[in-house]
Amino acid sequence: MSADGSLTVHITSPRDGHDMGFVRWNADPQPAPDIPGDSLVAKDISPDGWAVEAELSNGRIASTRGHKAICMKVVSGNLPEGHPYKLRGCVVKGSERQRTPWRPVHA
């Protein structure tokens, strides 16, 4: 986790280990590609039929489900500064879901 509370988790295939994308909690605004603070990001870079989802412990979800790779989804909204949360990434295909462990982040 970075000093501002942000964290990026790279997602690899549970089957063969190829790079599928990443999930990110963005605590503070990023100048490029203009992602606001308090944003949950899911990026799918692999045209393998799996979607990438980012989950925040408060119920916020960013999902690439239903979109072709390469795709990035950003879900934002102000949260109380300094409040602790947890982030995890998922890969989903139909009803199948594989999750990473929860990782601490903060707003």
Side-chain angles (χ1 to χ4, degrees), residues 12-81:
T12 57
S13 169
R15 295 213 162 85
D16 64 12
H18 75 271
D19 189 11
M20 299 177 81
F22 66 85
V23 299
R24 177 170 173 79
W25 170 248
N26 196 61
D28 291 333
Q30 282 185 348
D34 297 322
I35 298 175
D38 296 342
S39 293
L40 194 58
V41 180
K43 185 166 186 179
D44 183 353
I45 64 167
S46 180
D48 55 10
W50 289 82
V52 174
E53 293 184 343
E55 298 180 1
L56 196 62
S57 55
N58 71 347
R60 185 179 292 182
I61 296 174
S63 177
T64 66
R65 190 183 285 248
H67 301 276
K68 291 182 180 182
I70 295 174
C71 176
M72 185 169 79
K73 292 296 177 181
V74 178
V75 177
S76 63
N78 196 38
L79 294 173
E81 287 301 309

Side-chain angles (χ1 to χ4, degrees), residues 7 9-12 22-23 52-55 87-91 97-103:
L7 179 70
V9 177
H10 293 275
I11 305 297
T12 57
F22 66 85
V23 299
V52 174
E53 293 184 343
E55 298 180 1
L87 168 73
R88 73 176 168 192
C90 303
V91 290
R97 177 178 297 269
Q98 301 285 327
R99 294 180 173 107
T100 68
W102 286 107
R103 304 278 301 274

